[in-house]
DNA sequence: ATTGAAGTATCGTTCAACAATCCAACGATG
DNA sequence: CATCGTTGGATTGTTGAACGATACTTCAAT
C-alpha cells in the first residue's frame, strides 16, 4: 500500500451504459462456447492448449483463463495434467439436466400469473421462429429456436440469475444432442407443443401451460434417456 | 499433431474415485471464496493482484485464473483495466436473489413428495445445528447453519446442478449480509421457522412446508430490501 | 471551480523457461 | 504368452519478467 493509494477501491456504482468491453479471455471463451454448442468439437475430445492458442492467436495463459470459464459452465471438463476435454454427458447427466429444467422452467411458467408483456412476446417469437425454420427445413435454426423458447420460458421469472442458470443448462443440453447427433427429427415434434404452451400462456392459463410443459419435459427426457442408455450399453 | 499422438483424447468415463486433486488456481479460489463469505474483504473493496499473489504465494497468472472463477460466481466483479472488486450487491440484487431462491427452493420442497431419507435428514441436521448455535450464542455458526438449511432444502431436488446453483446464490446472499453487517439478530427469528418447515416436511406435508417457506422468504426479503433501500438512500 | 496535461500505478497480455505428470512403447521376467 | 517395471517424449502446471494500455491522481493554467 503506497502512501497515496490512488486507485478508487470501489466499483462504479453506476449501472453500465457502455458494454463492459470484454477482455480477451472472455472473447476467446465466447468463441469457444459457440463452437462447442455448434458441435465443432465432438464431445469427449481433448482440446490441446498448444493447438488452440495457435488457432485463436492468444497466449497459453489467456487461453487457460478462457478454459476455466467454460469448465465452470460444465461445457468442458478439466483433468489435472491431462488437459481439458469437451464435456461428454452421460444418461445420469441427462436426468440431472431435466431435473434442473423442471425446477427452473415450471415455476417460472406457473408464477407467470401477471407476466410482463415483453416476456410473453419473447416466448411467442421463439415459437414463430421455430415454425418458420421448420417450414424452410432449416433444422439447425429450428433447434436453436427451441432452445430459445425454453430460455424465454425461464425468462418469465424475470431474474438475471435464473436466466444465467438456464442458459448454462441449455448449453449443456446442446452437448447432449451432439452426443447422439440427431437434432433434426428430435425437435420437430415439440414445436406444436411449444405453440400450445404459448397459446395457453397468452390466454392467461399459466396452470394449463405448466401442465403441458410437464408432459413435454417427461416425454423429452424419456426419449433422450432411452436413446442414451441404448448407446451406453452398446459401448 | 505428432506421428504418435500418445495422449488419450477422451476423459476417463469412470466416475472419480480419487478426489480431483485441485489445481493451484482452484485452491486459491477456494481460499478466496471462504474469505469472501467470511467477510474478510468488505464488499466493494478492490483486490490488488500484486498484494494477493504475494499473500497467497502464487504468480499473477495463477491468481488471475482464480479470479475468473469467482467472477463467474458473482462473488467478484471485474472491471477492465481497473481490477476485481468484492461484489457489492444492491437492493435490486437482493430482489433478484430472492426470485432465484423462490424458484429453486419452493419446487424442491414441493416436489419432495417421496423425499430421500438422507436428504430430509440433512435438513433436520441443519436445524439442529442452528438451534445448538443459538443456545451457545455462536451467531456466526448460526448464520452458517441457516444457510446450510436452505442448501439442504434445495438438495431435496437431488440434482447436482440445482445444488450448484443454490450454493452460488447462497454465497452471494452472504455478501448481502455483509453489506449490512447485522448477521446476529437477522437469522435468529428464522430458526423457529426452519424447525416448523422441517417438522412439516418430515411428516409428509410438503405442501404445508412450502407455504411456510413462502412466507419465510417474503418476510426475509422485505426485511432486507427495506434495510437496503434505507441504506442506499442515506448514501 | 473547471479544464487539461503529465505522471504513476495497475492491469492486460505475451513470452520463455522449468518442474511435474501422464502416456505409450519397450523390454525383462515368470 | 502375459504381466510388470522402466524409460523417453509430449503436454500440462506454474512461474517470472517484460511491455503496452488504461485509469486515477496531481497539479498547473484559465
Amino acid at each position: 500500500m503506497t502512501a497515496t493509494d490512488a486507485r478508487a477501491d470501489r466499483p462504479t456504482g453506476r449501472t453500465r451504459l457502455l458494454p463492459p468491453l470484454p477482455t480477451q479471455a472472455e472473447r476467446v471463451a465466447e468463441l469457444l462456447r459457440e463452437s462447442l454448442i455448434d458441435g465443432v468439437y465432438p464431445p469427449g475430445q481433448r482440446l490441446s492448449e498448444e493447438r488452440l492458442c495457435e488457432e485463436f492467436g492468444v497466449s497459453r495463459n489467456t487461453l487457460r483463463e478462457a478454459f476455466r470459464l467454460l469448465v465452470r459452465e460444465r461445457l468442458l471438463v478439466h483433468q489435472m495434467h491431462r488437459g481439458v476435454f469437451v464435456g461428454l454427458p452421460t444418461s445420469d447427466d441427462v436426468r440431472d439436466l431435466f431435473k434442473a429444467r423442471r425446477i427452473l422452467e415450471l415455476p417460472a411458467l406457473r408464477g407467470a400469473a401477471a407476466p410482463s408483456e415483453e416476456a410473453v412476446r419473447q416466448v411467442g417469437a421463439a415459437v414463430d421462429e421455430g415454425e418458420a425454420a421448420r417450414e424452410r427445413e432449416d433444422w439447425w435454426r429450428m433447434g436453436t429456436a427451441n432452445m430459445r423458447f425454453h430460455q424465454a420460458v425461464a425468462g418469465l421469472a424475470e431474474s438475471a440469475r435464473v436466466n444465467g442458470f438456464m442458459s448454462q443448462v441449455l448449453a449443456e443440453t446442446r452437448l447432449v444432442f451432439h452426443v447422439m447427433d440427431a437434432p433434426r427429427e428430435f425437435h420437430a415434434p415439440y414445436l406444436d407443443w411449444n405453440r400450445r404452451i404459448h397459446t395457453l400462456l397468452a390466454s392467461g392459463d399459466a396452470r394449463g401451460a405448466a401442465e403441458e410443459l410437464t408432459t413435454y419435459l417427461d416425454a423429452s427426457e424419456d426419449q433422450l434417456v432411452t436413446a442414451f442408455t441404448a448407446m451406453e450399453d452398446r459401448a
Side-chain angles (χ1 to χ4, degrees), chain A:
Chain A
M1 195 145 357
T2 62
T4 68
D5 194 5
R7 205 55 144 269
D9 73 339
R10 39 187 46 232
T12 81
R14 309 266 312 97
T15 54
R16 292 226 143 290
L17 289 336
L18 270 33
L21 245 300
T23 183
Q24 192 119 322
E26 293 173 56
R27 240 174 304 159
V28 171
E30 176 62 26
L31 279 177
L32 252 179
R33 181 163 28 235
E34 286 190 15
S35 296
L36 287 169
I37 71 177
D38 284 4
V40 173
Y41 306 101
Q45 191 182 58
R46 173 165 154 272
L47 299 182
S48 160
E49 290 187 358
E50 195 173 10
R51 201 164 58 81
L52 282 187
C53 62
E54 166 70 21
E55 186 160 328
F56 288 116
V58 301
S59 79
R60 269 183 69 208
N61 289 321
T62 302
L63 179 68
R64 286 166 61 88
E65 283 190 23
F67 275 171
R68 301 284 175 185
L69 261 12
L70 299 171
V71 166
R72 173 68 42 152
E73 296 174 31
R74 309 183 92 120
L75 290 179
L76 300 179
V77 300
H78 181 186
Q79 294 193 12
M80 185 76 161
H81 285 117
R82 297 233 309 141
V84 301
F85 301 78
V86 181
L88 183 59
T90 68
S91 58
D92 285 336
D93 288 314
V94 173
R95 275 183 278 264
D96 199 87
L97 283 167
F98 272 87
K99 277 183 195 166
R101 288 183 60 173
R102 285 193 187 85
I103 294 275
L104 291 173
E105 295 185 50
L106 292 177
L109 197 50
R110 281 201 203 92
S116 94
E117 198 66 39
E118 172 61 15
V120 176
R121 214 187 49 70
Q122 288 216 337
V123 176
V127 175
D128 294 340
E129 185 185 334
E131 292 179 346
R134 175 169 58 182
E135 211 69 34
R136 285 171 299 150
E137 305 193 350
D138 183 345
W139 311 117
W140 172 245
R141 292 191 74 82
M142 195 178 79
T144 300
N146 193 30
M147 293 287 148
R148 286 223 343 219
F149 171 79
H150 291 281
Q151 180 78 57
V153 168
L156 292 168
E158 313 255 5
S159 160
R161 281 150 189 87
V162 169
N163 282 334
F165 296 156
M166 190 64 197
S167 56
Q168 267 187 242
V169 169
L170 287 180
E172 219 182 328
T173 303
R174 279 302 252 263
L175 275 190
V176 169
F177 286 131
H178 282 128
V179 170
M180 44 178 298
D181 66 330
R184 290 143 219 96
E185 58 280 29
F186 234 84
H187 292 295
Y190 297 114
L191 283 189
D192 301 326
W193 239 320
N194 292 355
R195 170 60 70 192
R196 218 151 39 219
I197 290 169
H198 174 253
T199 303
L200 286 169
L201 172 65
S203 75
D205 184 6
R207 193 89 201 155
E211 277 191 36
E212 284 288 329
L213 182 54
T214 300
T215 57
Y216 174 121
L217 289 173
D218 289 347
S220 184
E221 178 179 3
D222 276 353
Q223 192 177 5
L224 281 173
V225 167
T226 57
F228 251 73
T229 48
M231 172 183 277
E232 286 170 356
D233 289 346
R234 184 147 39 80

